[in-house]
Amino acid sequence: MQRRWISAAAAITALALVMGACGGAGTGGTTGASTAKTVKIISSLPMTGASRTQTVEIVNSIKMAIDETKITNVTVLYDALDDATAAKGSWDAAQEAENARKAINDKQVVAYIGTYNSGAAKVSIPLLNQAGMVMVSPANTYPGLTKGPEKGAEADEPGKYYPNGKRNYARVVPADDIQGAVGATWAQELGSKKVYIVHDTELYGKGIADVFRAKAKALGLTEAGYEGAQKADNYRALANKIKDSGADLVYYGGIVDNNPAVLLKDLRAVAPTVKFMGPDGINCSEFLKQAGPAATETYSTFGGVPPEKYTGKAAEWLKNYNAKFNNNNPNPYAIYGYEAAKVVLAAIAKSGDKADDRATVQTNVMGTKDYDGVLGKWSFDAGGDTTLTQFSGSTAKSGAWAFVKELAAK
Protein backbone atom coordinates (compact mmCIF):
# COMPACT_ATOMS: atom_id res chain seq x y z
CA MET A 1 0.00 0.00 0.00
CA GLN A 2 1.30 3.42 -0.86
CA ARG A 3 -0.46 6.72 -0.86
CA ARG A 4 0.62 10.31 -1.26
CA TRP A 5 -0.51 13.15 0.89
CA ILE A 6 0.32 16.72 0.00
CA SER A 7 0.32 19.57 2.47
CA ALA A 8 -0.52 23.02 1.14
CA ALA A 9 2.29 24.71 3.02
CA ALA A 10 3.80 26.87 0.30
CA ALA A 11 2.24 30.30 0.45
CA ILE A 12 2.58 34.00 -0.29
CA THR A 13 5.62 35.13 1.65
CA ALA A 14 4.14 37.98 3.65
CA LEU A 15 1.07 35.99 4.65
CA ALA A 16 3.08 32.88 5.24
CA LEU A 17 5.38 34.66 7.65
CA VAL A 18 2.33 35.32 9.78
CA MET A 19 1.07 31.77 9.32
CA GLY A 20 4.47 30.40 10.27
CA ALA A 21 4.62 32.46 13.41
CA CYS A 22 1.09 31.57 14.40
CA GLY A 23 1.26 27.98 13.20
CA GLY A 24 3.48 27.08 16.09
CA ALA A 25 6.09 24.70 14.73
CA GLY A 26 6.88 24.05 18.36
CA THR A 27 10.59 24.70 18.69
CA GLY A 28 10.75 28.46 18.29
CA GLY A 29 13.36 30.18 16.14
CA THR A 30 13.26 29.90 12.34
CA THR A 31 9.93 28.67 11.00
CA GLY A 32 10.41 28.32 7.27
CA ALA A 33 12.49 28.99 4.17
CA SER A 34 13.11 32.20 2.22
CA THR A 35 12.63 30.42 -1.12
CA ALA A 36 10.23 27.69 -2.20
CA LYS A 37 11.21 24.14 -1.28
CA THR A 38 9.54 20.76 -1.49
CA VAL A 39 10.39 17.99 0.96
CA LYS A 40 8.91 14.60 1.69
CA ILE A 41 8.23 12.50 4.78
CA ILE A 42 7.88 8.74 4.44
CA SER A 43 6.27 6.42 6.96
CA SER A 44 6.88 2.67 7.05
CA LEU A 45 4.27 0.70 9.00
CA PRO A 46 2.51 -2.68 8.67
CA MET A 47 -0.61 -1.75 6.69
CA THR A 48 -1.45 -5.42 6.08
CA GLY A 49 -2.41 -7.93 8.77
CA ALA A 50 -3.71 -7.73 12.32
CA SER A 51 -1.96 -4.42 13.09
CA ARG A 52 -3.68 -2.59 10.26
CA THR A 53 -6.43 -1.05 12.40
CA GLN A 54 -3.81 0.69 14.53
CA THR A 55 -1.48 1.67 11.70
CA VAL A 56 -4.27 3.23 9.64
CA GLU A 57 -4.97 5.42 12.65
CA ILE A 58 -1.28 6.36 12.90
CA VAL A 59 -1.25 7.33 9.21
CA ASN A 60 -4.40 9.40 9.77
CA SER A 61 -2.62 11.19 12.59
CA ILE A 62 0.43 11.93 10.45
CA LYS A 63 -1.81 13.40 7.73
CA MET A 64 -3.60 15.44 10.37
CA ALA A 65 -0.31 16.87 11.65
CA ILE A 66 0.84 17.79 8.14
CA ASP A 67 -2.49 19.44 7.34
CA GLU A 68 -2.32 21.54 10.48
CA THR A 69 1.29 22.70 10.13
CA LYS A 70 2.03 25.60 7.82
CA ILE A 71 5.73 26.13 7.10
CA THR A 72 6.74 29.23 5.20
CA ASN A 73 7.70 28.42 1.60
CA VAL A 74 7.94 24.70 2.30
CA THR A 75 5.65 22.11 0.70
CA VAL A 76 5.57 18.83 2.59
CA LEU A 77 4.71 15.64 0.70
CA TYR A 78 3.92 12.37 2.43
CA ASP A 79 4.07 8.73 1.32
CA ALA A 80 2.73 5.95 3.59
CA LEU A 81 4.56 2.70 2.83
CA ASP A 82 3.54 -0.79 3.92
CA ASP A 83 6.32 -2.89 5.50
CA ALA A 84 4.10 -5.99 5.78
CA THR A 85 3.31 -8.63 3.18
CA ALA A 86 0.09 -10.52 2.55
CA ALA A 87 1.98 -13.80 2.63
CA LYS A 88 3.31 -13.17 6.12
CA GLY A 89 0.39 -11.19 7.46
CA SER A 90 2.83 -9.05 9.42
CA TRP A 91 5.95 -6.91 8.99
CA ASP A 92 8.61 -8.39 6.76
CA ALA A 93 12.35 -7.71 6.95
CA ALA A 94 12.89 -7.66 3.18
CA GLN A 95 9.96 -5.27 2.68
CA GLU A 96 11.21 -2.98 5.45
CA ALA A 97 14.67 -2.86 3.84
CA GLU A 98 13.08 -2.05 0.48
CA ASN A 99 11.12 0.80 2.07
CA ALA A 100 14.24 2.24 3.67
CA ARG A 101 16.15 2.11 0.39
CA LYS A 102 13.24 3.75 -1.41
CA ALA A 103 13.38 6.62 1.07
CA ILE A 104 17.16 6.91 0.73
CA ASN A 105 17.03 7.03 -3.06
CA ASP A 106 14.34 9.72 -3.14
CA LYS A 107 16.21 13.00 -2.82
CA GLN A 108 13.10 14.82 -1.57
CA VAL A 109 12.81 12.64 1.53
CA VAL A 110 14.21 14.26 4.68
CA ALA A 111 12.63 12.10 7.41
CA TYR A 112 11.34 8.56 7.97
CA ILE A 113 8.52 7.90 10.46
CA GLY A 114 8.52 4.30 11.67
CA THR A 115 8.67 1.60 12.33
CA TYR A 116 5.77 0.04 14.23
CA ASN A 117 7.65 -3.16 15.12
CA SER A 118 11.03 -3.09 16.84
CA GLY A 119 12.31 -5.95 14.69
CA ALA A 120 11.65 -3.88 11.58
CA ALA A 121 13.53 -0.93 13.09
CA LYS A 122 16.53 -3.18 13.54
CA VAL A 123 16.58 -3.54 9.73
CA SER A 124 16.08 0.08 8.70
CA ILE A 125 18.02 2.07 11.33
CA PRO A 126 21.49 1.10 10.04
CA LEU A 127 20.48 1.68 6.40
CA LEU A 128 19.12 5.14 7.15
CA ASN A 129 22.05 5.86 9.45
CA GLN A 130 24.52 5.35 6.64
CA ALA A 131 22.42 7.64 4.44
CA GLY A 132 22.27 10.34 7.13
CA MET A 133 18.48 10.31 7.41
CA VAL A 134 16.57 10.81 10.64
CA MET A 135 14.02 8.22 11.76
CA VAL A 136 11.32 8.77 14.40
CA SER A 137 9.25 5.88 15.68
CA PRO A 138 5.78 6.24 17.18
CA ALA A 139 5.77 2.68 18.54
CA ASN A 140 9.14 0.88 18.89
CA THR A 141 9.80 -0.09 22.49
CA TYR A 142 12.67 -2.62 22.42
CA PRO A 143 15.43 -1.16 24.66
CA GLY A 144 18.40 -2.33 22.54
CA LEU A 145 17.58 0.08 19.73
CA THR A 146 18.88 2.92 21.86
CA LYS A 147 20.19 1.43 25.12
CA GLY A 148 22.91 -0.99 26.20
CA PRO A 149 23.00 -4.35 28.01
CA GLU A 150 22.36 -2.72 31.38
CA LYS A 151 18.79 -2.09 30.12
CA GLY A 152 18.13 -5.59 28.78
CA ALA A 153 19.88 -5.25 25.40
CA GLU A 154 22.37 -7.58 23.72
CA ALA A 155 26.10 -7.02 24.22
CA ASP A 156 26.62 -5.34 20.83
CA GLU A 157 23.56 -3.11 21.07
CA PRO A 158 22.83 -0.36 20.27
CA GLY A 159 26.18 0.43 18.60
CA LYS A 160 25.70 -2.00 15.72
CA TYR A 161 22.69 -0.03 14.50
CA TYR A 162 24.70 3.16 14.02
CA PRO A 163 27.60 2.39 11.66
CA ASN A 164 28.44 6.06 11.07
CA GLY A 165 28.75 6.61 14.80
CA LYS A 166 26.07 9.32 14.93
CA ARG A 167 22.58 8.72 16.29
CA ASN A 168 19.79 9.24 13.73
CA TYR A 169 16.97 7.37 15.50
CA ALA A 170 14.53 8.62 18.13
CA ARG A 171 11.20 7.45 19.54
CA VAL A 172 8.33 9.28 21.18
CA VAL A 173 7.15 6.26 23.21
CA PRO A 174 8.87 5.00 26.41
CA ALA A 175 10.99 1.85 26.05
CA ASP A 176 10.38 -1.63 27.44
CA ASP A 177 13.03 -1.51 30.15
CA ILE A 178 10.39 0.53 31.94
CA GLN A 179 7.28 -1.26 30.61
CA GLY A 180 8.48 -4.78 31.45
CA ALA A 181 9.30 -3.69 34.97
CA VAL A 182 5.95 -2.01 35.62
CA GLY A 183 4.24 -5.13 34.28
CA ALA A 184 6.00 -7.36 36.81
CA THR A 185 5.24 -4.92 39.61
CA TRP A 186 1.57 -4.84 38.63
CA ALA A 187 1.43 -8.65 38.47
CA GLN A 188 2.61 -8.78 42.07
CA GLU A 189 0.05 -6.15 43.08
CA LEU A 190 -2.67 -8.30 41.46
CA GLY A 191 -1.73 -11.07 43.87
CA SER A 192 0.29 -13.23 41.51
CA LYS A 193 2.92 -15.48 43.07
CA LYS A 194 3.78 -17.90 40.25
CA VAL A 195 4.19 -16.63 36.67
CA TYR A 196 4.58 -18.43 33.35
CA ILE A 197 6.39 -16.26 30.77
CA VAL A 198 5.80 -16.76 27.04
CA HIS A 199 7.20 -14.69 24.15
CA ASP A 200 6.68 -14.75 20.39
CA THR A 201 10.44 -15.16 19.67
CA GLU A 202 10.65 -11.76 17.96
CA LEU A 203 13.00 -8.98 19.04
CA TYR A 204 10.29 -6.98 20.80
CA GLY A 205 8.48 -9.93 22.35
CA LYS A 206 11.52 -11.69 23.75
CA GLY A 207 13.04 -8.40 24.86
CA ILE A 208 10.12 -7.33 27.00
CA ALA A 209 9.59 -10.88 28.31
CA ASP A 210 13.20 -10.87 29.51
CA VAL A 211 12.75 -7.52 31.27
CA PHE A 212 9.56 -8.80 32.93
CA ARG A 213 11.39 -11.99 33.92
CA ALA A 214 14.26 -10.15 35.58
CA LYS A 215 11.96 -7.82 37.49
CA ALA A 216 9.64 -10.67 38.56
CA LYS A 217 12.64 -12.53 39.96
CA ALA A 218 13.79 -9.42 41.82
CA LEU A 219 10.30 -9.07 43.33
CA GLY A 220 10.37 -12.66 44.55
CA LEU A 221 7.79 -14.12 42.16
CA THR A 222 8.23 -17.79 41.32
CA GLU A 223 8.87 -18.61 37.66
CA ALA A 224 6.60 -21.50 36.62
CA GLY A 225 7.97 -21.54 33.07
CA TYR A 226 9.66 -19.51 30.34
CA GLU A 227 9.59 -20.25 26.64
CA GLY A 228 9.25 -18.90 23.12
CA ALA A 229 6.17 -19.79 21.10
CA GLN A 230 6.07 -18.78 17.45
CA LYS A 231 2.85 -17.95 15.62
CA ALA A 232 0.66 -21.07 15.40
CA ASP A 233 -2.92 -22.14 14.75
CA ASN A 234 -3.25 -23.69 18.21
CA TYR A 235 -1.38 -23.76 21.50
CA ARG A 236 -3.18 -26.61 23.21
CA ALA A 237 0.01 -28.41 24.27
CA LEU A 238 1.44 -25.20 25.73
CA ALA A 239 -1.85 -24.42 27.49
CA ASN A 240 -1.82 -27.82 29.20
CA LYS A 241 1.81 -27.30 30.18
CA ILE A 242 0.91 -23.97 31.77
CA LYS A 243 -2.03 -25.54 33.62
CA ASP A 244 0.19 -28.33 34.98
CA SER A 245 2.81 -25.79 36.14
CA GLY A 246 0.40 -24.30 38.66
CA ALA A 247 0.97 -20.76 37.36
CA ASP A 248 -1.54 -18.14 38.47
CA LEU A 249 -0.55 -15.61 35.76
CA VAL A 250 0.76 -15.86 32.20
CA TYR A 251 2.84 -12.98 30.88
CA TYR A 252 2.90 -12.82 27.06
CA GLY A 253 5.62 -10.78 25.34
CA GLY A 254 4.63 -10.28 21.74
CA ILE A 255 2.37 -8.68 19.18
CA VAL A 256 -1.21 -9.33 18.12
CA ASP A 257 -0.05 -10.54 14.70
CA ASN A 258 1.46 -13.66 16.30
CA ASN A 259 -1.82 -15.03 17.67
CA PRO A 260 -1.73 -14.36 21.42
CA ALA A 261 -5.55 -14.47 21.28
CA VAL A 262 -5.36 -18.09 20.13
CA LEU A 263 -3.05 -18.90 23.05
CA LEU A 264 -5.46 -17.18 25.43
CA LYS A 265 -8.48 -19.12 24.14
CA ASP A 266 -6.62 -22.43 24.41
CA LEU A 267 -5.51 -21.49 27.93
CA ARG A 268 -9.05 -20.60 29.00
CA ALA A 269 -10.22 -24.06 27.84
CA VAL A 270 -8.02 -25.82 30.42
CA ALA A 271 -7.23 -23.17 33.04
CA PRO A 272 -10.10 -20.64 33.06
CA THR A 273 -8.98 -18.70 36.16
CA VAL A 274 -5.34 -18.02 35.23
CA LYS A 275 -4.70 -14.31 34.72
CA PHE A 276 -3.22 -13.22 31.38
CA MET A 277 -1.07 -10.11 30.99
CA GLY A 278 0.76 -8.55 28.08
CA PRO A 279 2.40 -5.27 27.04
CA ASP A 280 1.31 -2.74 24.42
CA GLY A 281 1.64 -5.44 21.75
CA ILE A 282 -1.77 -6.80 22.78
CA ASN A 283 -3.30 -3.49 23.85
CA CYS A 284 -5.45 -3.05 20.76
CA SER A 285 -9.02 -3.65 19.66
CA GLU A 286 -7.95 -6.43 17.28
CA PHE A 287 -6.67 -8.60 20.15
CA LEU A 288 -9.97 -8.27 22.00
CA LYS A 289 -11.93 -8.98 18.83
CA GLN A 290 -9.96 -12.17 18.24
CA ALA A 291 -10.06 -13.31 21.88
CA GLY A 292 -13.78 -12.67 22.41
CA PRO A 293 -15.13 -13.82 25.83
CA ALA A 294 -11.75 -15.43 26.63
CA ALA A 295 -10.31 -11.95 27.22
CA THR A 296 -11.83 -11.87 30.73
CA GLU A 297 -9.11 -11.49 33.39
CA THR A 298 -6.69 -10.09 30.79
CA TYR A 299 -4.44 -7.18 31.68
CA SER A 300 -2.23 -4.95 29.57
CA THR A 301 0.32 -2.20 30.08
CA PHE A 302 0.85 0.79 27.80
CA GLY A 303 2.97 3.94 27.59
CA GLY A 304 0.92 6.97 28.63
CA VAL A 305 -2.78 6.75 29.37
CA PRO A 306 -5.69 5.54 27.17
CA PRO A 307 -7.71 8.05 25.12
CA GLU A 308 -10.57 8.26 27.64
CA LYS A 309 -8.11 9.69 30.17
CA TYR A 310 -6.62 12.38 27.91
CA THR A 311 -6.63 15.92 29.27
CA GLY A 312 -5.48 19.31 27.97
CA LYS A 313 -3.81 19.24 24.54
CA ALA A 314 -4.27 15.48 24.25
CA ALA A 315 -8.02 15.78 24.84
CA GLU A 316 -8.24 18.57 22.26
CA TRP A 317 -6.32 16.44 19.78
CA LEU A 318 -8.68 13.50 20.40
CA LYS A 319 -11.72 15.68 19.81
CA ASN A 320 -10.28 16.92 16.51
CA TYR A 321 -9.22 13.41 15.45
CA ASN A 322 -12.64 11.93 16.08
CA ALA A 323 -14.30 14.78 14.18
CA LYS A 324 -11.93 14.55 11.21
CA PHE A 325 -12.02 10.79 10.80
CA ASN A 326 -15.53 10.06 12.11
CA ASN A 327 -14.00 7.85 14.77
CA ASN A 328 -14.91 6.91 18.32
CA ASN A 329 -11.52 7.06 20.02
CA PRO A 330 -8.60 5.57 18.10
CA ASN A 331 -6.22 2.98 19.54
CA PRO A 332 -3.56 4.41 21.89
CA TYR A 333 -0.74 4.61 19.30
CA ALA A 334 -2.59 7.12 17.11
CA ILE A 335 -1.53 10.05 19.27
CA TYR A 336 2.10 8.90 19.13
CA GLY A 337 1.93 9.01 15.33
CA TYR A 338 0.73 12.61 15.56
CA GLU A 339 3.49 13.58 17.99
CA ALA A 340 6.18 11.93 15.83
CA ALA A 341 5.00 13.84 12.77
CA LYS A 342 4.79 17.15 14.64
CA VAL A 343 8.36 16.77 15.90
CA VAL A 344 9.59 16.11 12.36
CA LEU A 345 7.63 19.09 11.02
CA ALA A 346 9.02 21.32 13.75
CA ALA A 347 12.54 20.27 12.78
CA ILE A 348 11.84 20.98 9.09
CA ALA A 349 10.51 24.42 9.97
CA LYS A 350 13.48 25.16 12.20
CA SER A 351 15.86 24.15 9.41
CA GLY A 352 14.87 27.26 7.44
CA ASP A 353 16.67 27.42 4.09
CA LYS A 354 18.10 23.97 4.84
CA ALA A 355 14.66 22.38 5.18
CA ASP A 356 15.63 20.07 2.32
CA ASP A 357 18.97 19.11 3.88
CA ARG A 358 18.80 15.73 5.62
CA ALA A 359 21.68 16.45 7.99
CA THR A 360 20.15 19.68 9.24
CA VAL A 361 16.71 18.13 9.76
CA GLN A 362 18.31 15.20 11.61
CA THR A 363 20.25 17.52 13.89
CA ASN A 364 17.11 19.48 14.72
CA VAL A 365 15.01 16.36 15.42
CA MET A 366 17.67 14.75 17.62
CA GLY A 367 18.14 18.05 19.45
CA THR A 368 14.47 18.33 20.43
CA LYS A 369 14.26 19.80 23.94
CA ASP A 370 11.31 20.83 26.09
CA TYR A 371 8.87 20.06 23.27
CA ASP A 372 5.39 21.08 24.37
CA GLY A 373 3.21 18.64 22.46
CA VAL A 374 0.06 16.58 22.86
CA LEU A 375 1.94 14.07 25.05
CA GLY A 376 3.08 16.80 27.44
CA LYS A 377 6.40 18.62 27.74
CA TRP A 378 9.33 16.36 26.97
CA SER A 379 12.78 16.07 25.31
CA PHE A 380 14.85 13.48 23.44
CA ASP A 381 17.85 12.38 25.50
CA ALA A 382 21.29 11.80 23.95
CA GLY A 383 20.28 8.28 22.89
CA GLY A 384 17.07 9.36 21.18
CA ASP A 385 14.67 8.26 23.93
CA THR A 386 11.80 10.37 25.18
CA THR A 387 12.05 11.67 28.72
CA LEU A 388 8.41 10.65 29.27
CA THR A 389 8.05 7.59 31.52
CA GLN A 390 4.31 7.44 32.23
CA PHE A 391 2.63 4.01 31.93
CA SER A 392 -0.85 2.77 32.67
CA GLY A 393 -2.61 -0.54 33.16
CA SER A 394 -5.86 -1.62 31.51
CA THR A 395 -8.10 -4.66 31.73
CA ALA A 396 -10.41 -6.21 29.17
CA LYS A 397 -14.02 -5.34 29.93
CA SER A 398 -17.05 -5.84 27.68
CA GLY A 399 -14.95 -6.03 24.54
CA ALA A 400 -12.84 -2.94 25.23
CA TRP A 401 -9.77 -1.98 27.24
CA ALA A 402 -10.75 -0.23 30.47
CA PHE A 403 -8.27 1.94 32.35
CA VAL A 404 -7.33 0.59 35.79
CA LYS A 405 -4.48 2.73 37.10
CA GLU A 406 -1.25 4.52 36.34
CA LEU A 407 1.79 2.29 36.88
CA ALA A 408 5.30 2.87 38.17
CA ALA A 409 8.22 0.47 38.55
CA LYS A 410 9.32 -0.08 42.12
Side-chain angles (χ1 to χ4, degrees):
M1 178 179 175
Q2 179 182 154
R3 292 185 292 183
R4 168 166 290 188
W5 195 258
I6 301 176
S7 170
I12 299 171
T13 302
L15 176 60
L17 285 170
V18 175
M19 292 173 66
C22 296
T27 57
T30 305
T31 56
S34 60
T35 58
K37 296 183 180 298
T38 298
V39 301
K40 186 187 293 181
I41 297 170
I42 274 184
S43 68
S44 183
L45 305 162
M47 308 297 290
T48 302
S51 296
R52 177 176 165 78
T53 300
Q54 297 182 84
T55 54
V56 166
E57 292 170 348
I58 292 173
V59 168
N60 286 345
S61 295
I62 295 171
K63 292 175 182 175
M64 186 175 167
I66 294 173
D67 274 350
E68 292 176 356
T69 305
K70 311 304 179 187
I71 307 174
T72 305
N73 283 330
V74 178
T75 298
V76 179
L77 309 179
Y78 171 47
D79 278 354
L81 305 183
D82 185 355
D83 71 4
T85 60
K88 195 172 178 182
S90 183
W91 72 274
D92 178 83
Q95 187 61 53
E96 176 55 29
E98 183 178 323
N99 290 353
R101 292 191 181 98
K102 182 173 183 176
I104 291 167
N105 293 330
D106 186 338
K107 301 304 180 188
Q108 288 186 317
V109 177
V110 295
Y112 194 87
I113 296 178
T115 57
Y116 185 74
N117 300 99
S118 295
K122 186 178 176 181
V123 174
S124 48
I125 293 174
L127 294 174
L128 297 170
N129 180 263
Q130 289 177 306
M133 184 182 296
V134 72
M135 175 175 176
V136 182
S137 174
N140 296 155
T141 52
Y142 174 62
L145 298 175
T146 57
K147 305 179 183 185
E150 73 282 1
K151 297 295 183 181
E154 302 293 333
D156 57 351
E157 293 177 329
K160 65 179 181 181
Y161 303 125
Y162 305 96
N164 76 10
K166 188 174 183 179
R167 295 294 181 99
N168 67 310
Y169 170 83
R171 49 184 162 193
V172 295
V173 62
D176 289 341
D177 56 306
I178 303 171
Q179 184 175 198
V182 301
T185 302
W186 194 25
Q188 185 186 50
E189 291 173 354
L190 289 169
S192 176
K193 298 185 183 304
K194 196 172 185 180
V195 298
Y196 203 108
I197 303 165
V198 181
H199 62 80
D200 64 2
T201 73
E202 291 194 6
L203 186 72
Y204 158 78
K206 182 178 184 302
I208 194 164
D210 287 347
V211 174
F212 178 94
R213 184 185 199 186
K215 184 64 178 180
K217 182 179 180 181
L219 292 172
L221 301 181
T222 299
E223 183 175 299
Y226 172 91
E227 64 185 280
Q230 294 182 328
K231 183 177 182 178
D233 294 332
N234 80 77
Y235 297 93
R236 288 189 285 273
L238 176 57
N240 279 303
K241 193 173 176 182
I242 292 170
K243 182 196 70 173
D244 293 342
S245 75
D248 54 40
L249 183 143
V250 172
Y251 184 81
Y252 179 83
I255 57 176
V256 65
D257 308 54
N258 290 330
N259 287 349
V262 177
L263 169 62
L264 179 56
K265 286 193 280 191
D266 286 344
L267 181 65
R268 287 284 178 261
V270 296
T273 62
V274 174
K275 296 181 178 68
F276 192 89
M277 179 184 287
D280 55 310
I282 70 166
N283 192 295
C284 59
S285 55
E286 183 63 25
F287 172 79
L288 297 179
K289 178 183 174 184
Q290 293 180 10
T296 302
E297 288 292 306
T298 297
Y299 302 84
S300 176
T301 56
F302 191 87
V305 294
E308 64 268 25
K309 293 296 179 181
Y310 289 171
T311 59
K313 288 185 177 181
E316 184 65 22
W317 170 84
L318 180 63
K319 177 183 174 183
N320 294 337
Y321 182 97
N322 285 338
K324 187 177 181 69
F325 298 106
N326 193 27
N327 205 325
N328 181 25
N329 288 1
N331 283 282
Y333 270 125
I335 196 169
Y336 287 97
Y338 181 85
E339 195 81 324
K342 291 294 281 186
V343 166
V344 168
L345 291 163
I348 292 171
K350 188 178 180 180
S351 298
D353 286 334
K354 290 189 174 183
D356 54 355
D357 179 67
R358 291 175 178 176
T360 301
V361 174
Q362 176 177 304
T363 297
N364 287 333
V365 168
M366 300 305 292
T368 298
K369 299 296 178 190
D370 298 324
Y371 184 81
D372 193 6
V374 291
L375 297 178
K377 196 168 186 177
W378 57 271
S379 303
F380 284 136
D381 66 17
D385 276 300
T386 175
T387 54
L388 294 175
T389 58
Q390 182 186 39
F391 276 88
S392 62
S394 299
T395 187
K397 192 173 185 180
S398 302
W401 289 107
F403 173 79
V404 177
K405 61 185 294 189
E406 291 192 28
L407 302 173
K410 298 178 181 176

